[in-house]
Amino acid sequence: MNTRTPELDRRRFLTGSLLIAAGAVVGTGCSTDPTGGSSGGRTTLNVWYHAYGEAGTQQAALRYATAFTKANPDIAVKVTWVPGDYAGKLHAGLLTDAAPDVFEIGDFDDGLAHRGQLAPLDDLYGDARADFGAAALDTVTVDGRPYGVKAVEDVMMLYYRKSALAAAGITPPTTFDALAGAAKALSTGKSKGLYLGTDGAGDGPALVVMSTGGELVTPDGKVAFGSPQALEALTAFKRLHDEKSLLLGFTTDWWDPSAFTRGTAAMQWCGLWAMPAVRSALGDDFGVLPWPAFREGGTPVLRVGGWTSCVNAKGRHVDAAKTYVRWLWVQQSDLQRDFAESYGLHVPPRTSVAATATALTAGPAKETVELARRYGRHYPGTWNTAVSTAFNAAAAKIATGQGDPAALLADAAGRAQSEIDKQLGR
């Protein structure tokens, strides 16, 4: 059955596209209908990227497409840059005749593989498979088969202003109580102690649950965030709101370091990608930390995400799409290193490429990578929009005192379990 709905208003979710053919840009401008097909006898791939915030990333994607078409002149590439709610626009776009042939996804969604939307990519890795880190493979593997190739790994952690903590006589926190105490002490009339996002939550609720040593969802698809330990941690998270230690409603969200670099927050949850901007603004006056263990005996947490290149199993040009993904993310080590190091800072998922990434070999960047190896956690593959929304909505109400915490969490766990059961066909 054809599940695409071409009558959807594509103007809702498509943005500027550039067509690369025979190694050159042959068409520019805004396109609201990058339908793929063929161009002058060539196969035309429609390749979607989310709108990276780091300057130069879009130009890099176009350069890579140009290099690819020089090596593969029978395959043209249309690069489509998608701003805003990329995940929502992607899921809508996949239901239309404008669906991309190749697209990237952030935290990997096992449901796309279960629904037959992703092509298995066992045949792409070849001898290079052993060079990909275990996590980079495990997170894209469903029922024993890889359904994507990781392009970059992104590590998320706490930045802190060394001078601000030193002036207040505060040592970098190693427990949640210490973090909450530091955030309160660092909140003044001019700034707040901690920034987690415009909503005062961001990844915080998930982090505080994982920092107990527990899971959000078990590997076999059982919701775990309804446990007594998770309830205790989420109830404790409310302290940050009660003590007015969080910066709320800043002009950019947590993934942009501006709140931290402008001195509006003394600590901020952000990503490794922001480190070049942080260093440019603050020099050496910053350090990095994991989200601290909930208490002694808990587990510090850094979140590891990133972007994965996938092939649309229902697309018109699956073989050509595989050729593109293999060429760019398996074969071209120099381009992979460029993408990881030249536009913000990311970790290459291939061990051999990461070993040559000089920006990761010293200072806070090296420390971040080492901490991620010890404490890095991924969101589970079942953590789709429906599941995360149920959890985050309950966590937000608990944090702001809107209802009974135990009842709110139990209801969210039940709704999340129903969604996961659907994903897994149970």
Side-chain angles (χ1 to χ4, degrees), residues 76-99:
V77 177
K78 181 170 286 185
V79 174
T80 300
W81 207 249
V82 184
D85 178 16
Y86 176 79
K89 294 172 183 179
L90 175 64
H91 284 283
L94 288 172
L95 299 176
T96 77
D97 284 341

Side-chain angles (χ1 to χ4, degrees), residues 165-190:
L165 269 66
I170 295 171
T171 57
T174 59
T175 65
F176 178 77
D177 278 346
L179 175 65
K184 180 180 180 181
L186 291 165
S187 294
T188 67
K190 295 181 178 179

Side-chain angles (χ1 to χ4, degrees), residues 159-221:
Y159 285 90
Y160 68 94
R161 190 77 173 263
K162 290 180 178 179
S163 59
L165 269 66
I170 295 171
T171 57
T174 59
T175 65
F176 178 77
D177 278 346
L179 175 65
K184 180 180 180 181
L186 291 165
S187 294
T188 67
K190 295 181 178 179
S191 66
K192 290 292 188 178
L194 179 61
Y195 186 49
L196 299 177
T198 57
D199 61 355
D203 285 333
L207 294 168
V208 76
V209 170
M210 290 188 286
S211 72
T212 67
E215 301 281 349
L216 296 169
V217 180
T218 64
D220 61 350

Side-chain angles (χ1 to χ4, degrees), residues 76-379:
V77 177
K78 181 170 286 185
V79 174
T80 300
W81 207 249
V82 184
D85 178 16
Y86 176 79
K89 294 172 183 179
L90 175 64
H91 284 283
L94 288 172
L95 299 176
T96 77
D97 284 341
D101 298 289
V102 177
F103 54 92
E104 59 178 10
I105 56 177
D107 295 305
F108 195 80
D109 182 352
D110 289 5
L112 287 171
H114 288 305
R115 295 193 296 273
Q117 190 69 65
L118 305 182
L121 303 182
D122 316 57
D123 52 334
L124 264 63
Y125 285 89
D127 294 340
R129 183 165 183 156
D131 194 34
F132 282 81
L137 275 171
D138 291 347
T139 53
V140 303
T141 298
V142 179
D143 297 332
R145 305 187 74 181
Y147 284 84
V149 179
K150 201 77 176 282
V152 291
E153 293 197 311
D154 284 323
V155 182
M156 287 144 273
M157 68 291 192
L158 278 170
Y159 285 90
Y160 68 94
R161 190 77 173 263
K162 290 180 178 179
S163 59
L165 269 66
I170 295 171
T171 57
T174 59
T175 65
F176 178 77
D177 278 346
L179 175 65
K184 180 180 180 181
L186 291 165
S187 294
T188 67
K190 295 181 178 179
S191 66
K192 290 292 188 178
L194 179 61
Y195 186 49
L196 299 177
T198 57
D199 61 355
D203 285 333
L207 294 168
V208 76
V209 170
M210 290 188 286
S211 72
T212 67
E215 301 281 349
L216 296 169
V217 180
T218 64
D220 61 350
K222 301 296 184 183
V223 169
F225 66 70
S227 69
Q229 294 82 4
L231 177 61
E232 181 186 8
L234 288 168
T235 303
F237 183 79
K238 183 176 183 291
R239 175 181 170 186
L240 295 170
H241 287 263
D242 290 346
E243 295 179 345
K244 302 188 185 304
S245 303
L246 295 173
L247 175 64
L248 302 175
F250 191 70
T251 54
T252 58
D253 216 335
W254 65 269
W255 51 80
D256 182 287
S258 296
F260 181 65
T261 58
R262 295 177 188 175
T264 313
M267 298 182 290
Q268 179 177 335
W269 182 258
C270 195
L272 179 63
W273 61 80
M275 193 170 288
V278 172
R279 184 176 294 282
S280 177
L282 303 180
D284 293 329
D285 187 21
F286 74 95
V288 295
L289 290 170
W291 183 272
F294 183 62
R295 59 166 58 94
E296 297 296 338
T299 306
V301 179
L302 289 86
R303 191 163 87 78
V304 180
W307 292 90
T308 298
S309 189
C310 299
V311 171
N312 183 359
K314 301 177 182 179
R316 298 183 181 90
H317 310 296
V318 172
D319 289 341
K322 286 184 175 183
T323 298
Y324 178 79
V325 173
R326 179 192 295 113
W327 182 90
L328 181 53
W329 299 122
V330 177
Q331 297 175 335
Q332 305 303 313
S333 297
D334 57 333
L335 299 185
Q336 295 160 27
R337 184 167 52 251
D338 176 67
F339 198 65
E341 283 195 288
S342 300
Y343 320 99
L345 189 57
H346 315 267
V347 180
R350 290 190 60 171
T351 303
S352 63
V353 179
T356 65
T358 56
L360 301 175
T361 60
K366 180 181 179 181
E367 184 180 358
T368 298
V369 173
E370 291 173 347
L371 286 169
R373 289 195 184 107
R374 295 177 63 189
Y375 303 124
R377 300 282 293 274
H378 294 78
Y379 279 144

